mmCIF file of all heavy atoms in Angstrom:
data_model
loop_
_atom_site.group_PDB
_atom_site.id
_atom_site.type_symbol
_atom_site.label_atom_id
_atom_site.label_comp_id
_atom_site.label_asym_id
_atom_site.label_seq_id
_atom_site.Cartn_x
_atom_site.Cartn_y
_atom_site.Cartn_z
ATOM 1 N N TYR A 5 0.468 6.146 -3.672
ATOM 2 C CA TYR A 5 0.567 7.551 -4.071
ATOM 3 C C TYR A 5 1.524 7.706 -5.251
ATOM 4 O O TYR A 5 1.211 8.385 -6.237
ATOM 5 C CB TYR A 5 1.016 8.400 -2.882
ATOM 6 C CG TYR A 5 1.135 9.881 -3.168
ATOM 7 C CD1 TYR A 5 0.105 10.575 -3.770
ATOM 8 C CD2 TYR A 5 2.285 10.578 -2.835
ATOM 9 C CE1 TYR A 5 0.212 11.940 -4.033
ATOM 10 C CE2 TYR A 5 2.403 11.937 -3.085
ATOM 11 C CZ TYR A 5 1.361 12.606 -3.689
ATOM 12 O OH TYR A 5 1.484 13.948 -3.944
ATOM 13 N N LEU A 9 0.719 8.991 -9.087
ATOM 14 C CA LEU A 9 1.482 10.074 -9.714
ATOM 15 C C LEU A 9 2.040 9.622 -11.063
ATOM 16 O O LEU A 9 1.970 10.361 -12.053
ATOM 17 C CB LEU A 9 2.626 10.535 -8.802
ATOM 18 C CG LEU A 9 2.226 11.388 -7.607
ATOM 19 C CD1 LEU A 9 3.418 11.598 -6.685
ATOM 20 C CD2 LEU A 9 1.669 12.724 -8.067
ATOM 21 N N VAL A 40 14.013 23.085 -15.059
ATOM 22 C CA VAL A 40 14.017 24.367 -14.347
ATOM 23 C C VAL A 40 12.823 24.437 -13.390
ATOM 24 O O VAL A 40 12.952 24.872 -12.243
ATOM 25 C CB VAL A 40 14.022 25.552 -15.332
ATOM 26 C CG1 VAL A 40 13.713 26.867 -14.634
ATOM 27 C CG2 VAL A 40 15.363 25.641 -16.036
ATOM 28 N N GLY A 41 11.661 24.010 -13.849
ATOM 29 C CA GLY A 41 10.467 24.029 -13.000
ATOM 30 C C GLY A 41 10.609 23.141 -11.776
ATOM 31 O O GLY A 41 10.303 23.560 -10.651
ATOM 32 N N VAL A 42 11.086 21.914 -11.980
ATOM 33 C CA VAL A 42 11.248 20.986 -10.858
ATOM 34 C C VAL A 42 12.308 21.508 -9.883
ATOM 35 O O VAL A 42 12.106 21.468 -8.662
ATOM 36 C CB VAL A 42 11.581 19.564 -11.356
ATOM 37 C CG1 VAL A 42 11.973 18.656 -10.205
ATOM 38 C CG2 VAL A 42 10.387 18.974 -12.099
ATOM 39 N N LEU A 43 13.412 22.014 -10.406
ATOM 40 C CA LEU A 43 14.450 22.571 -9.526
ATOM 41 C C LEU A 43 13.947 23.786 -8.752
ATOM 42 O O LEU A 43 14.223 23.928 -7.556
ATOM 43 C CB LEU A 43 15.697 22.927 -10.330
ATOM 44 C CG LEU A 43 16.512 21.742 -10.841
ATOM 45 C CD1 LEU A 43 17.611 22.222 -11.775
ATOM 46 C CD2 LEU A 43 17.084 20.949 -9.680
ATOM 47 N N PHE A 44 13.204 24.655 -9.422
ATOM 48 C CA PHE A 44 12.663 25.838 -8.751
ATOM 49 C C PHE A 44 11.735 25.433 -7.603
ATOM 50 O O PHE A 44 11.867 25.924 -6.478
ATOM 51 C CB PHE A 44 11.911 26.733 -9.739
ATOM 52 C CG PHE A 44 11.192 27.868 -9.081
ATOM 53 C CD1 PHE A 44 11.880 29.012 -8.695
ATOM 54 C CD2 PHE A 44 9.833 27.797 -8.824
ATOM 55 C CE1 PHE A 44 11.224 30.068 -8.067
ATOM 56 C CE2 PHE A 44 9.168 28.837 -8.198
ATOM 57 C CZ PHE A 44 9.866 29.976 -7.819
ATOM 58 N N PHE A 45 10.796 24.550 -7.890
ATOM 59 C CA PHE A 45 9.835 24.166 -6.855
ATOM 60 C C PHE A 45 10.460 23.291 -5.770
ATOM 61 O O PHE A 45 10.001 23.311 -4.621
ATOM 62 C CB PHE A 45 8.600 23.504 -7.471
ATOM 63 C CG PHE A 45 7.692 24.498 -8.130
ATOM 64 C CD1 PHE A 45 7.500 24.488 -9.490
ATOM 65 C CD2 PHE A 45 7.038 25.467 -7.387
ATOM 66 C CE1 PHE A 45 6.666 25.410 -10.099
ATOM 67 C CE2 PHE A 45 6.207 26.399 -7.978
ATOM 68 C CZ PHE A 45 6.026 26.371 -9.344
ATOM 69 N N THR A 46 11.496 22.530 -6.104
ATOM 70 C CA THR A 46 12.220 21.794 -5.067
ATOM 71 C C THR A 46 12.919 22.770 -4.136
ATOM 72 O O THR A 46 12.888 22.609 -2.909
ATOM 73 C CB THR A 46 13.233 20.816 -5.691
ATOM 74 O OG1 THR A 46 12.533 19.894 -6.533
ATOM 75 C CG2 THR A 46 13.987 20.048 -4.624
ATOM 76 N N GLY A 47 13.524 23.801 -4.716
ATOM 77 C CA GLY A 47 14.130 24.857 -3.892
ATOM 78 C C GLY A 47 13.091 25.558 -3.032
ATOM 79 O O GLY A 47 13.336 25.871 -1.859
ATOM 80 N N TRP A 48 11.938 25.802 -3.605
ATOM 81 C CA TRP A 48 10.830 26.420 -2.872
ATOM 82 C C TRP A 48 10.441 25.534 -1.688
ATOM 83 O O TRP A 48 10.241 26.025 -0.567
ATOM 84 C CB TRP A 48 9.653 26.588 -3.826
ATOM 85 C CG TRP A 48 8.441 27.246 -3.277
ATOM 86 C CD1 TRP A 48 7.544 26.730 -2.377
ATOM 87 C CD2 TRP A 48 7.962 28.552 -3.586
ATOM 88 N NE1 TRP A 48 6.540 27.621 -2.134
ATOM 89 C CE2 TRP A 48 6.775 28.749 -2.865
ATOM 90 C CE3 TRP A 48 8.413 29.554 -4.425
ATOM 91 C CZ2 TRP A 48 6.036 29.919 -2.954
ATOM 92 C CZ3 TRP A 48 7.661 30.718 -4.508
ATOM 93 C CH2 TRP A 48 6.497 30.898 -3.781
ATOM 94 N N ASP A 49 10.307 24.237 -1.936
ATOM 95 C CA ASP A 49 9.967 23.293 -0.862
ATOM 96 C C ASP A 49 11.040 23.286 0.224
ATOM 97 O O ASP A 49 10.731 23.290 1.418
ATOM 98 C CB ASP A 49 9.798 21.879 -1.417
ATOM 99 C CG ASP A 49 8.439 21.645 -2.046
ATOM 100 O OD1 ASP A 49 7.585 22.547 -1.989
ATOM 101 O OD2 ASP A 49 8.238 20.553 -2.603
ATOM 102 N N LEU A 50 12.296 23.234 -0.201
ATOM 103 C CA LEU A 50 13.382 23.214 0.779
ATOM 104 C C LEU A 50 13.411 24.499 1.607
ATOM 105 O O LEU A 50 13.670 24.454 2.818
ATOM 106 C CB LEU A 50 14.722 22.984 0.079
ATOM 107 C CG LEU A 50 14.913 21.584 -0.515
ATOM 108 C CD1 LEU A 50 16.177 21.528 -1.355
ATOM 109 C CD2 LEU A 50 14.916 20.530 0.576
ATOM 110 N N ALA A 51 13.119 25.626 0.976
ATOM 111 C CA ALA A 51 13.051 26.891 1.717
ATOM 112 C C ALA A 51 11.886 26.860 2.711
ATOM 113 O O ALA A 51 12.022 27.313 3.856
ATOM 114 C CB ALA A 51 12.899 28.065 0.757
ATOM 115 N N GLY A 52 10.767 26.302 2.295
ATOM 116 C CA GLY A 52 9.616 26.180 3.199
ATOM 117 C C GLY A 52 9.882 25.223 4.345
ATOM 118 O O GLY A 52 9.473 25.462 5.482
ATOM 119 N N ILE A 53 10.582 24.135 4.051
ATOM 120 C CA ILE A 53 10.951 23.181 5.102
ATOM 121 C C ILE A 53 11.929 23.831 6.074
ATOM 122 O O ILE A 53 11.788 23.701 7.294
ATOM 123 C CB ILE A 53 11.543 21.899 4.481
ATOM 124 C CG1 ILE A 53 10.454 21.114 3.747
ATOM 125 C CG2 ILE A 53 12.193 21.027 5.540
ATOM 126 C CD1 ILE A 53 10.987 20.013 2.840
ATOM 127 N N GLY A 54 12.911 24.541 5.542
ATOM 128 C CA GLY A 54 13.902 25.217 6.386
ATOM 129 C C GLY A 54 13.287 26.311 7.252
ATOM 130 O O GLY A 54 13.783 26.596 8.343
ATOM 131 N N SER A 55 12.192 26.892 6.788
ATOM 132 C CA SER A 55 11.498 27.947 7.549
ATOM 133 C C SER A 55 10.420 27.380 8.469
ATOM 134 O O SER A 55 9.630 28.135 9.033
ATOM 135 C CB SER A 55 10.859 28.945 6.585
ATOM 136 O OG SER A 55 11.824 29.530 5.765
ATOM 137 N N ASP A 56 10.345 26.055 8.560
ATOM 138 C CA ASP A 56 9.318 25.372 9.360
ATOM 139 C C ASP A 56 7.898 25.699 8.903
ATOM 140 O O ASP A 56 6.970 25.773 9.713
ATOM 141 C CB ASP A 56 9.479 25.691 10.855
ATOM 142 C CG ASP A 56 10.673 24.990 11.464
ATOM 143 O OD1 ASP A 56 11.043 23.917 10.950
ATOM 144 O OD2 ASP A 56 11.237 25.522 12.441
ATOM 145 N N ILE A 57 7.731 25.893 7.596
ATOM 146 C CA ILE A 57 6.401 26.128 7.033
ATOM 147 C C ILE A 57 5.828 24.820 6.503
ATOM 148 O O ILE A 57 4.654 24.534 6.672
ATOM 149 C CB ILE A 57 6.466 27.181 5.910
ATOM 150 C CG1 ILE A 57 6.909 28.523 6.482
ATOM 151 C CG2 ILE A 57 5.124 27.318 5.214
ATOM 152 C CD1 ILE A 57 7.213 29.574 5.435
ATOM 153 N N PHE A 58 6.667 24.006 5.840
ATOM 154 C CA PHE A 58 6.230 22.747 5.256
ATOM 155 C C PHE A 58 6.674 21.582 6.132
ATOM 156 O O PHE A 58 7.794 21.562 6.640
ATOM 157 C CB PHE A 58 6.836 22.546 3.863
ATOM 158 C CG PHE A 58 6.431 23.575 2.845
ATOM 159 C CD1 PHE A 58 7.227 23.788 1.744
ATOM 160 C CD2 PHE A 58 5.277 24.316 2.959
ATOM 161 C CE1 PHE A 58 6.885 24.715 0.779
ATOM 162 C CE2 PHE A 58 4.920 25.253 2.017
ATOM 163 C CZ PHE A 58 5.736 25.456 0.925
ATOM 164 N N TYR A 59 5.782 20.623 6.278
ATOM 165 C CA TYR A 59 6.077 19.399 7.024
ATOM 166 C C TYR A 59 5.605 18.213 6.211
ATOM 167 O O TYR A 59 4.674 18.313 5.415
ATOM 168 C CB TYR A 59 5.358 19.387 8.383
ATOM 169 C CG TYR A 59 5.828 20.471 9.309
ATOM 170 C CD1 TYR A 59 5.128 21.658 9.421
ATOM 171 C CD2 TYR A 59 6.975 20.300 10.068
ATOM 172 C CE1 TYR A 59 5.566 22.658 10.277
ATOM 173 C CE2 TYR A 59 7.420 21.291 10.918
ATOM 174 C CZ TYR A 59 6.706 22.469 11.009
ATOM 175 O OH TYR A 59 7.144 23.457 11.852
ATOM 176 N N ARG A 60 6.238 17.092 6.426
ATOM 177 C CA ARG A 60 5.832 15.858 5.766
ATOM 178 C C ARG A 60 4.688 15.247 6.545
ATOM 179 O O ARG A 60 4.806 14.974 7.736
ATOM 180 C CB ARG A 60 7.009 14.886 5.700
ATOM 181 C CG ARG A 60 6.660 13.579 5.047
ATOM 182 C CD ARG A 60 7.910 12.702 4.937
ATOM 183 N NE ARG A 60 7.501 11.364 4.624
ATOM 184 C CZ ARG A 60 7.541 10.352 5.479
ATOM 185 N NH1 ARG A 60 8.018 10.543 6.687
ATOM 186 N NH2 ARG A 60 7.141 9.169 5.127
ATOM 187 N N GLY A 61 3.592 15.011 5.856
ATOM 188 C CA GLY A 61 2.456 14.348 6.481
ATOM 189 C C GLY A 61 2.653 12.844 6.474
ATOM 190 O O GLY A 61 3.220 12.286 5.549
ATOM 191 N N MET A 66 2.271 6.365 1.195
ATOM 192 C CA MET A 66 3.581 6.806 0.715
ATOM 193 C C MET A 66 4.656 5.787 1.085
ATOM 194 O O MET A 66 4.486 5.004 2.012
ATOM 195 C CB MET A 66 3.906 8.180 1.286
ATOM 196 C CG MET A 66 2.954 9.254 0.772
ATOM 197 S SD MET A 66 3.132 10.851 1.550
ATOM 198 C CE MET A 66 4.778 11.300 1.114
ATOM 199 N N LEU A 71 14.120 12.332 0.818
ATOM 200 C CA LEU A 71 15.352 12.817 0.210
ATOM 201 C C LEU A 71 16.059 13.803 1.131
ATOM 202 O O LEU A 71 17.262 13.994 1.038
ATOM 203 C CB LEU A 71 15.045 13.486 -1.133
ATOM 204 C CG LEU A 71 14.347 12.586 -2.156
ATOM 205 C CD1 LEU A 71 13.932 13.391 -3.373
ATOM 206 C CD2 LEU A 71 15.257 11.436 -2.554
ATOM 207 N N ALA A 72 15.289 14.439 1.968
ATOM 208 C CA ALA A 72 15.765 15.380 2.985
ATOM 209 C C ALA A 72 14.684 15.365 4.071
ATOM 210 O O ALA A 72 13.599 14.833 3.847
ATOM 211 C CB ALA A 72 15.930 16.776 2.393
ATOM 212 N N PRO A 73 14.965 15.920 5.234
ATOM 213 C CA PRO A 73 13.910 15.961 6.253
ATOM 214 C C PRO A 73 12.648 16.632 5.711
ATOM 215 O O PRO A 73 12.717 17.720 5.131
ATOM 216 C CB PRO A 73 14.538 16.785 7.372
ATOM 217 C CG PRO A 73 16.009 16.626 7.186
ATOM 218 C CD PRO A 73 16.217 16.502 5.704
ATOM 219 N N HIS A 74 11.530 15.960 5.830
ATOM 220 C CA HIS A 74 10.214 16.434 5.391
ATOM 221 C C HIS A 74 10.090 16.565 3.877
ATOM 222 O O HIS A 74 9.187 17.234 3.387
ATOM 223 C CB HIS A 74 9.849 17.762 6.059
ATOM 224 C CG HIS A 74 9.802 17.682 7.545
ATOM 225 N ND1 HIS A 74 8.819 17.003 8.222
ATOM 226 C CD2 HIS A 74 10.633 18.185 8.481
ATOM 227 C CE1 HIS A 74 9.036 17.089 9.520
ATOM 228 N NE2 HIS A 74 10.138 17.793 9.708
ATOM 229 N N LEU A 75 10.980 15.937 3.099
ATOM 230 C CA LEU A 75 10.892 15.957 1.636
ATOM 231 C C LEU A 75 10.824 14.515 1.133
ATOM 232 O O LEU A 75 11.834 13.877 0.856
ATOM 233 C CB LEU A 75 12.105 16.673 1.021
ATOM 234 C CG LEU A 75 12.069 16.829 -0.497
ATOM 235 C CD1 LEU A 75 10.948 17.768 -0.918
ATOM 236 C CD2 LEU A 75 13.405 17.350 -1.013
ATOM 237 N N PRO A 76 9.599 13.989 1.004
ATOM 238 C CA PRO A 76 9.460 12.601 0.537
ATOM 239 C C PRO A 76 9.821 12.486 -0.943
ATOM 240 O O PRO A 76 9.725 13.455 -1.707
ATOM 241 C CB PRO A 76 7.973 12.299 0.762
ATOM 242 C CG PRO A 76 7.306 13.624 0.778
ATOM 243 C CD PRO A 76 8.317 14.606 1.295
ATOM 244 N N VAL A 77 10.216 11.308 -1.353
ATOM 245 C CA VAL A 77 10.605 11.066 -2.743
ATOM 246 C C VAL A 77 9.432 11.340 -3.683
ATOM 247 O O VAL A 77 9.625 11.802 -4.815
ATOM 248 C CB VAL A 77 11.168 9.636 -2.909
ATOM 249 C CG1 VAL A 77 10.089 8.581 -2.765
ATOM 250 C CG2 VAL A 77 11.893 9.490 -4.226
ATOM 251 N N GLU A 78 8.227 11.124 -3.224
ATOM 252 C CA GLU A 78 7.049 11.367 -4.061
ATOM 253 C C GLU A 78 6.898 12.841 -4.429
ATOM 254 O O GLU A 78 6.294 13.175 -5.446
ATOM 255 C CB GLU A 78 5.767 10.903 -3.344
ATOM 256 C CG GLU A 78 5.644 9.417 -3.203
ATOM 257 C CD GLU A 78 6.232 8.894 -1.900
ATOM 258 O OE1 GLU A 78 6.887 9.670 -1.176
ATOM 259 O OE2 GLU A 78 6.032 7.713 -1.602
ATOM 260 N N GLU A 79 7.453 13.731 -3.618
ATOM 261 C CA GLU A 79 7.343 15.165 -3.881
ATOM 262 C C GLU A 79 7.989 15.537 -5.211
ATOM 263 O O GLU A 79 7.466 16.367 -5.947
ATOM 264 C CB GLU A 79 7.979 15.971 -2.739
ATOM 265 C CG GLU A 79 7.857 17.467 -2.904
ATOM 266 C CD GLU A 79 6.436 17.989 -2.754
ATOM 267 O OE1 GLU A 79 5.534 17.229 -2.359
ATOM 268 O OE2 GLU A 79 6.238 19.175 -3.035
ATOM 269 N N ILE A 80 9.099 14.908 -5.540
ATOM 270 C CA ILE A 80 9.779 15.197 -6.810
ATOM 271 C C ILE A 80 8.896 14.771 -7.979
ATOM 272 O O ILE A 80 8.778 15.495 -8.978
ATOM 273 C CB ILE A 80 11.154 14.505 -6.871
ATOM 274 C CG1 ILE A 80 12.028 14.950 -5.692
ATOM 275 C CG2 ILE A 80 11.838 14.758 -8.195
ATOM 276 C CD1 ILE A 80 12.254 16.447 -5.583
ATOM 277 N N PHE A 81 8.259 13.620 -7.857
ATOM 278 C CA PHE A 81 7.350 13.167 -8.914
ATOM 279 C C PHE A 81 6.129 14.076 -9.004
ATOM 280 O O PHE A 81 5.629 14.352 -10.097
ATOM 281 C CB PHE A 81 6.926 11.711 -8.673
ATOM 282 C CG PHE A 81 8.029 10.738 -8.935
ATOM 283 C CD1 PHE A 81 8.843 10.300 -7.902
ATOM 284 C CD2 PHE A 81 8.268 10.265 -10.219
ATOM 285 C CE1 PHE A 81 9.867 9.412 -8.143
ATOM 286 C CE2 PHE A 81 9.298 9.378 -10.468
ATOM 287 C CZ PHE A 81 10.099 8.951 -9.428
ATOM 288 N N PHE A 82 5.637 14.533 -7.856
ATOM 289 C CA PHE A 82 4.513 15.474 -7.875
ATOM 290 C C PHE A 82 4.907 16.775 -8.560
ATOM 291 O O PHE A 82 4.144 17.321 -9.363
ATOM 292 C CB PHE A 82 4.018 15.760 -6.447
ATOM 293 C CG PHE A 82 2.986 16.851 -6.424
ATOM 294 C CD1 PHE A 82 1.693 16.614 -6.866
ATOM 295 C CD2 PHE A 82 3.316 18.119 -5.991
ATOM 296 C CE1 PHE A 82 0.745 17.628 -6.868
ATOM 297 C CE2 PHE A 82 2.379 19.135 -5.987
ATOM 298 C CZ PHE A 82 1.089 18.889 -6.430
ATOM 299 N N LEU A 83 6.088 17.284 -8.257
ATOM 300 C CA LEU A 83 6.545 18.526 -8.877
ATOM 301 C C LEU A 83 6.729 18.349 -10.385
ATOM 302 O O LEU A 83 6.395 19.249 -11.165
ATOM 303 C CB LEU A 83 7.835 19.007 -8.223
ATOM 304 C CG LEU A 83 7.712 19.417 -6.754
ATOM 305 C CD1 LEU A 83 9.082 19.758 -6.184
ATOM 306 C CD2 LEU A 83 6.735 20.561 -6.575
ATOM 307 N N ALA A 84 7.246 17.204 -10.799
ATOM 308 C CA ALA A 84 7.380 16.924 -12.232
ATOM 309 C C ALA A 84 5.997 16.874 -12.883
ATOM 310 O O ALA A 84 5.789 17.440 -13.965
ATOM 311 C CB ALA A 84 8.120 15.609 -12.446
ATOM 312 N N PHE A 85 5.039 16.224 -12.216
ATOM 313 C CA PHE A 85 3.673 16.177 -12.736
ATOM 314 C C PHE A 85 3.080 17.573 -12.818
ATOM 315 O O PHE A 85 2.457 17.932 -13.827
ATOM 316 C CB PHE A 85 2.792 15.275 -11.858
ATOM 317 C CG PHE A 85 1.332 15.395 -12.185
ATOM 318 C CD1 PHE A 85 0.821 14.849 -13.347
ATOM 319 C CD2 PHE A 85 0.481 16.068 -11.333
ATOM 320 C CE1 PHE A 85 -0.525 14.978 -13.668
ATOM 321 C CE2 PHE A 85 -0.863 16.199 -11.634
ATOM 322 C CZ PHE A 85 -1.366 15.646 -12.806
ATOM 323 N N LEU A 86 3.258 18.380 -11.790
ATOM 324 C CA LEU A 86 2.717 19.735 -11.764
ATOM 325 C C LEU A 86 3.264 20.570 -12.924
ATOM 326 O O LEU A 86 2.508 21.236 -13.638
ATOM 327 C CB LEU A 86 3.047 20.399 -10.424
ATOM 328 C CG LEU A 86 2.588 21.830 -10.233
ATOM 329 C CD1 LEU A 86 1.083 21.902 -10.137
ATOM 330 C CD2 LEU A 86 3.238 22.413 -8.984
ATOM 331 N N CYS A 87 4.566 20.514 -13.136
ATOM 332 C CA CYS A 87 5.181 21.280 -14.222
ATOM 333 C C CYS A 87 4.740 20.751 -15.589
ATOM 334 O O CYS A 87 4.424 21.530 -16.492
ATOM 335 C CB CYS A 87 6.702 21.235 -14.104
ATOM 336 S SG CYS A 87 7.319 22.094 -12.648
#
Side-chain angles (χ1 to χ4, degrees):
Y5 181 50
L9 285 172
V40 167
V42 171
L43 289 172
F44 173 80
F45 285 114
T46 301
W48 182 288
D49 279 356
L50 291 172
I53 291 167
S55 301
D56 287 332
I57 296 171
F58 297 157
Y59 295 97
R60 179 176 166 252
M66 295 173 62
L71 302 173
H74 300 290
L75 184 67
V77 70
E78 290 91 351
E79 182 69 9
I80 302 303
F81 288 94
F82 173 74
L83 295 175
F85 169 73
L86 179 69
C87 293

